[in-house]
Amino acid sequence: MRNVFLFISSYFFVHHSLALSIHSENITVTKGENVKFRCQLPLDFSSKDNIIQWKKSRSNDDNLIISINGKIPKIFENSYQTDLTNQHSSLELFHVNHNDSTTYICQTFETQTILCQYNLVVLIMPEAPLLTINKVDIEEYQAVTLTCSSLNGNPPPQYTWYRNGTLLTYDS
């Protein structure tokens, strides 16, 4: 009974002390850049007693485990690099693209306690805008619809319309 109580007490102490040091941050970078996340570990952290993992959240709830205790699978070595000490764990992403826009989590493996969370947005310049008109033969005083669109922008571009130098407003 004493061993069970000791285990439960130890689990609660480690789990509780790690939960107090959660760090959350939003980061924005441009496509093609590198970005590095750094997670400060609790003072009572020991790499002998705890396993740290970095995860990438994906839309289908199938999170991708990038590293465990500073080790990255060979298939990810061109995309990621990690570092783990008793004071911090870091994850670096190389040449980010649109698929890297998501949440990255540094957490303990045993208790799944989140230590750090980074929400990454990768900015991507849209392609040149394309203007389309809803009619081919336009007559004077006839109403037409103009549509402006661009591909691949993140975030999607917003458009401002002018007519003869005057800003056009509309009710939505």
Side-chain angles (χ1 to χ4, degrees):
M1 176 72 173
R2 184 172 180 208
N3 290 342
V4 171
F5 176 73
L6 180 61
F7 173 74
I8 292 172
S9 316
S10 300
Y11 170 82
F12 177 76
F13 177 72
V14 169
H15 181 74
H16 182 69
S17 64
L18 292 176
L20 295 177
S21 41
I22 295 174
H23 171 80
S24 182
E25 188 175 342
N26 297 325
I27 296 180
T28 303
V29 296
T30 303
K31 179 182 174 184
E33 292 181 343
N34 296 350
V35 62
K36 188 172 191 174
F37 309 129
R38 184 182 164 129
C39 186
Q40 190 69 36
L41 302 176
L43 294 176
D44 59 349
F45 176 80
S46 166
S47 59
K48 292 179 191 174
D49 302 327
N50 295 283
I51 296 173
I52 295 295
Q53 67 182 9
W54 280 94
K55 290 194 320 188
K56 177 181 182 178
S57 298
R58 297 196 288 196
S59 60
N60 58 0
D61 284 338
D62 177 28
N63 294 330
L64 175 67
I65 297 176
I66 298 170
S67 78
I68 296 178
N69 266 8
K71 304 289 188 224
I72 295 178
K74 286 198 178 289
I75 62 170
F76 296 141
E77 287 179 348
N78 291 334
S79 302
Y80 307 104
Q81 180 178 333
T82 61
D83 183 36
L84 176 64
T85 70
N86 278 336
Q87 293 83 34
H88 77 272
S89 179
S90 64
L91 172 68
E92 185 170 5
L93 284 68
F94 303 124
H95 313 292
V96 296
N97 62 46
H98 182 68
N99 295 331
D100 294 316
S101 288
T102 191
T103 301
Y104 294 83
I105 297 170
C106 175
Q107 68 184 98
T108 61
F109 178 78
E110 300 84 2
T111 62
Q112 299 292 294
T113 302
I114 295 175
L115 303 172
C116 298
Q117 177 174 308
Y118 291 92
N119 302 308
L120 180 65
V121 175
V122 178
L123 299 177
I124 300 173
M125 183 177 291
E127 293 179 17
L130 175 66
L131 178 66
T132 56
I133 303 170
N134 70 333
K135 296 187 179 181
V136 178
D137 296 319
I138 303 170
E139 297 179 18
E140 192 173 5
Y141 302 109
Q142 184 180 24
V144 295
T145 300
L146 304 176
T147 305
C148 192
S149 61
S150 295
L151 298 175
N152 300 326
N154 189 44
Q158 295 180 346
Y159 304 99
T160 306
W161 289 90
Y162 292 87
R163 181 176 180 187
N164 297 328
T166 303
L167 177 65
L168 298 176
T169 59
Y170 62 94
D171 298 321
S172 49

